[in-house]
Amino acid sequence: MEDFVIKTENLSKVYGRLFWKKKEPSLKGLNLEIPYGTVFGFLGPNGAGKTTTIRLLMGLIKPTTGQAWVLGKPADDVKVKLRIGYLPDGPTFSPYLKAYEFLNICAKLLQIPSSQRRKRIEEVLETVKMSEHANSKLGGFSRGMTQRIGIAQAILNKPDVLILDEPLVGLDPHGRQELKDIVAEQRKAGTNVFFCSHILSDVERICDSVGILFKGDLLRCGKLDELLGATGMRITVNVGNDELTQKLLPQANSSVRLADGGWELIFNNNDEVKAMVDDYVAKKPDSMMITPSRESLEDYFFRNIAVAEQQS
Ligand SMILES: Nc1ncnc2c1ncn2[C@@H]1O[C@H](COP(=O)(O)OP(=O)(O)OP(=O)(O)O)[C@@H](O)[C@H]1O
Ligand SMILES: [Mg+2]
């Protein structure tokens, strides 16, 4: 477990007490191994178990089975918390505290030496573009401003790993861009990032790896390049190959008639299509061009969720 920034082994959670009525687990035997140096996006529909996983990683709730480690230490290890930056889902803070006062309390809890506190708080307020609100009360902040203060407290201790539950929620387009910049900066500084989000286009831009959770099961997990790059092929059929086009068209995910009369067809990887294409290329090498096609994370997500829904 020392080799992974986050590791879980058979991690399950059933909320509430199990009397005679057995409840459906919110998380079912999750096995995750996230190497150091990763920005990991945790995806899944509402109620899939993402927040449950994060609470288990933070040691805020106890697992029903299994174990979790963060930075090589068990999730309930108190000392390791000083090296983690955590943004809970929909954070709420004392409305009577001013932003600076709140961050000062956090800095004390995080054992940041008093000589460094003021400078560090000013730095993080600047990072989340909230310097001008340092002396305003948290109760008067909008959702996005509250989220920015939540992010500020998460990065206050220059953590080794950031665990963020829906960090993009409530942020305007500028805020989302700034958060992406913060993640990029953190990564440059050597911070590992684990976050969940529903904004797939942003996840696709900032993550190296993703996991997709569905009803407590991990459906897919891996490097984005491998998951999306290996999913499809783009076939350009040159003009004059009508017979081949007619065979391929019914199986294509999408088809576009090109200006020169040929076709561009996109397929998911499929052995039957591959065999058909290989056979044709062997006979007529100039009949088409085959290039790998990268699916968007959004299409990949919906396709996998649709299959899982059919099977469940
Ligand atoms: N404190 C709790 N007590 C009982 N059930 C809970 C509790 N917290 C979550 N659940 C249940 O566990 C399941 C997973 O919830 P969780 O909050 O982990 O989902 P999520 O993936 O974070 O969803 P969302 O995208 O809506 O944030 C849901 O069925 C939810 O009803
Ligand atoms: Mg959640």
Side-chain angles (χ1 to χ4, degrees), residues 15-16 23 25-27 44-53 55 89 165-166 196 198 213:
Y15 285 102
K23 286 194 189 163
S26 294
L27 191 65
N46 292 134
K50 303 178 297 295
T51 298
T52 300
T53 306
R55 289 193 188 132
D89 184 23
D165 197 346
E166 312 271 359
C196 57
H198 293 291
L213 205 58

Side-chain angles (χ1 to χ4, degrees), residues 63-261:
T64 308
T65 70
Q67 251 189 304
W69 295 265
V70 179
L71 296 165
K73 300 280 186 290
D76 55 3
D77 183 308
V78 178
K79 269 193 267 163
V80 81
K81 298 288 177 293
L82 298 178
R83 298 170 55 206
I84 303 176
Y86 169 51
L87 175 72
D89 184 23
T92 46
F93 307 119
S94 166
Y96 306 108
L97 287 174
K98 292 176 181 166
Y100 186 92
E101 288 169 347
F102 167 70
L103 291 172
N104 200 34
I105 294 171
C106 297
K108 282 183 194 166
L109 290 172
L110 290 164
Q111 299 175 13
I112 297 175
S114 54
S115 59
Q116 295 170 22
R117 266 180 231 152
R118 172 171 285 276
K119 184 167 170 278
R120 184 64 192 143
I121 293 170
E122 283 169 1
E123 268 171 18
V124 294
L125 281 169
E126 181 60 38
T127 305
V128 300
K129 305 277 190 295
M130 288 291 284
S131 302
E132 62 178 296
H133 303 288
N135 290 311
S136 308
K137 288 197 173 147
L138 297 173
F141 284 1
S142 70
R143 188 169 165 176
M145 290 162 86
T146 306
Q147 191 75 343
R148 284 167 191 253
I149 294 298
I151 293 157
Q153 64 78 33
I155 57 175
L156 197 55
N157 55 335
K158 300 189 180 167
D160 293 326
V161 57
L162 265 175
I163 298 183
L164 310 172
D165 197 346
E166 312 271 359
L168 299 158
V169 162
L171 298 178
D172 60 21
H174 274 106
R176 274 168 53 188
Q177 186 52 49
E178 281 153 21
L179 184 91
K180 284 184 266 180
D181 294 344
I182 292 172
V183 170
E185 283 294 312
Q186 294 290 317
R187 170 202 244 159
K188 257 197 253 162
T191 311
N192 305 277
V193 185
F194 180 99
F195 77 103
C196 57
S197 177
H198 293 291
I199 306 178
L200 301 177
S201 52
D202 285 342
V203 172
E204 186 167 356
R205 268 181 221 122
I206 47 185
C207 291
D208 315 295
S209 297
V210 295
I212 301 180
L213 205 58
F214 178 76
K215 294 188 179 171
D217 281 315
L218 189 66
L219 277 188
R220 295 277 180 268
C221 190
K223 288 193 178 144
L224 213 48
D225 283 347
E226 286 168 14
L227 295 180
L228 303 183
T231 50
M233 52 186 168
R234 180 190 309 270
I235 299 181
T236 311
V237 185
N238 296 334
V239 199
N241 289 294
D242 292 343
E243 184 199 343
L244 174 65
T245 308
Q246 290 317 314
K247 274 192 197 161
L248 290 175
L249 256 179
Q251 301 198 52
N253 282 355
S254 76
S255 56
V256 179
R257 189 95 207 226
L258 301 174
D260 67 3

